[in-house]
Each structure stands twice: as structure tokens, then as C-alpha cells.
Amino acid sequence: MSGRGSSSRITDEEINELVSKLQSLLPESRRRNIGRASASKLLKETCSYIKSLHRDVDDLSDRLSALMATMEANSPQADIIRSLLRS
Amino acid sequence: MDSKGSACSNPNPNPTFGPSKLMLAFRFLRALSIVHRTTPASSPTCRGRRIERAAYASMAYSAGTSRAWSRAVLRRLHHRARRRAVAPRRLSTTAGNRAEALRRLVPGGAGMDYCTLLEETADYTKCLSMQVELMQGIVDSASSNGR
């Protein structure tokens, strides 16, 4: 991290803390793959993770749309809510 | 955040990032049933995109307006309703331009200082993963219930 004076209210330590918080949000498999990573590697991995989450939302939206085509108007929703509350 | 005054402008009183799973679930399911009721069965692609927008909308509403990313998502969604053209975002070229790729991925990331960007990223990532988990859960549950 460059020690620039311009944003000196925010310490490098605080930034490191925030960056390591990001590491804890990564799924297990990604955390294992990068091991003890530098901040820049961690940010790259976070970008990759966010991109894959965006793809998941896209893909799951299509699957939900396909499932809707087969759903009755009201019946499955109570079941869904019940199973969600159980998990 | 620590008790020593952090320079980050969004101190999150909630120690764990993200909204409650239940609130997220109810919002999204409600949005889904609206999409189900109002989109003709003849346009599954269109419905898929509406579901996707519902996902981001319910995520953002659940996070509330205290987050820059959720405000940015809601702005984007509301503008889309009025006009199709999306103004290209221009990244600031002044100092505080670190993590460009991340700024493009996190809604509202372009204008933030680095510290806020990291906080917003954490919250956004957490909410995004919860939304994905929720959607996967619905797909799984509906797949096993469906005939």
C-alpha cells in the first residue's frame, strides 16, 4: 500500500482490516485456493467472486422463470416458505 | 467497526453484514408472485429478466437506503423504468481510483473513497450471496415439489 499523505485519516491498518474482512466473506473453496494472499490478490478474488454471483443470479432467474411455467398459481408458495423457514 | 473513530462514513451498527434472511425471502417471494401474475407465459425470457430485476430490487430494499450500493441499485432500476438508454459511467481520474475493477462491479462504486468501497463491497457481497442462496433454495424446493 502506498503511504500517501493525502488520505492520511484512514490508516493502512484500518484498510488491511477491511481487506481481511473481505477474505472472510469468500466461500471456503476460494479461500483455500488463494491461501495467504496479498491485498491485491484478495481484491482480484473478490471481483471474481462477485462476477460469479452475478452469473448465478442471471442463471437462477432463468431457471425460476422456467419453473414458473409449470407452477400452479398459488399452491407451491406455502410449501416454499415452509421449507425456507426450516432451513 | 472499532470504537476508535473510523474515517469510513458508513459505520454499520449491525455487527454482521446484511439483512435478515427471512426479510429477504419474503420480499423476493412477494416479487416473484407479482411477476408470475403479471408476465404472460408466452415470454419466458422477458420473465427471466423481470425475475432478475426483482432479485436485485428485493436485495436493495432489504439492505435499506443506508448503503450506497443499495441506493445505486434502486436508482438504476428506477431510471430503467423511464428510459432505456443508460448513461455510461465515467470513473474519476483523481486520486482514490484504486481497485478499478471492483468499482465497476459494486453498484455506486465509482465515486467512493477506497475505505468506503471496501465496506460497501463486503456488504454487497454478503447480500448478493444471500440472494443467490435464497434463489437456489427456491429452485431446489420448487423442483422437488413440482410434478
Side-chain angles (χ1 to χ4, degrees):
Chain A
M1 307 253 170
S2 65
R4 301 187 67 146
S6 51
S7 52
S8 55
R9 282 178 302 153
I10 303 160
T11 66
D12 282 353
E13 199 181 304
E14 282 173 309
I15 289 190
N16 286 337
E17 210 180 291
L18 287 171
V19 172
S20 63
K21 264 191 189 140
L22 286 180
Q23 178 157 30
S24 70
L25 289 174
L26 292 174
E28 182 78 41
S29 51
R30 285 179 184 264
R31 247 180 295 155
R32 249 184 290 127
N33 285 343
I34 62 174
R36 300 198 62 205
S38 65
S40 82
K41 197 171 179 192
L42 207 39
L43 290 181
K44 273 206 185 91
E45 192 62 29
T46 302
C47 285
S48 161
Y49 180 44
I50 293 177
K51 273 189 244 182
S52 83
L53 288 172
H54 285 164
R55 283 196 300 271
D56 287 343
V57 172
D58 190 1
D59 176 55
L60 288 165
S61 298
D62 288 336
R63 288 169 72 184
L64 282 171
S65 173
L67 279 168
M68 263 190 194
T70 64
M71 267 186 203
E72 299 297 314
N74 287 305
S75 56
Q77 291 181 31
D79 292 16
I80 291 167
I81 293 173
R82 248 177 268 126
S83 70
L84 278 171
L85 291 173
R86 248 184 281 128
S87 61
Chain B
M1 291 300 307
D2 302 277
S3 51
K4 59 180 168 173
S6 169
C8 297
S9 53
N10 270 323
N12 191 352
N14 192 0
T16 61
F17 290 106
S20 81
K21 285 185 180 181
L22 203 55
M23 190 167 67
L24 198 65
F26 279 135
R27 271 218 172 78
F28 183 58
L29 287 170
R30 188 175 57 195
L32 272 187
S33 63
I34 293 172
V35 173
H36 182 41
R37 265 205 319 273
T38 59
T39 317
S42 54
S43 49
T45 324
C46 166
R47 188 170 50 204
R49 300 291 56 77
R50 289 194 67 194
I51 292 174
E52 187 172 14
R53 284 197 297 279
Y56 285 107
S58 56
M59 248 178 79
Y61 279 119
S62 298
T65 51
S66 64
R67 284 289 169 193
W69 72 260
S70 55
R71 293 195 299 269
V73 168
L74 293 174
R75 264 199 310 271
R76 213 187 281 169
L77 287 171
H78 289 146
H79 283 162
R80 200 207 163 276
R82 286 198 228 124
R83 48 189 157 93
R84 305 230 132 221
V86 178
R89 271 182 306 160
R90 252 173 291 131
L91 284 175
S92 145
T93 52
T94 60
N97 202 15
R98 271 190 283 185
E100 259 189 67
L102 192 57
R103 289 176 186 279
R104 272 189 275 266
L105 288 171
V106 175
M112 293 173 191
D113 65 82
Y114 188 57
C115 182
T116 307
L117 176 66
L118 294 177
E119 271 223 322
E120 290 283 322
T121 300
D123 196 66
Y124 180 61
T125 307
K126 179 73 185 159
C127 290
L128 202 46
S129 72
M130 282 171 70
Q131 182 67 37
V132 166
E133 210 180 296
L134 169 63
M135 291 170 84
Q136 186 67 64
I138 296 173
V139 166
D140 292 344
S141 148
S143 302
S144 60
N145 278 343
R147 262 155 271 124

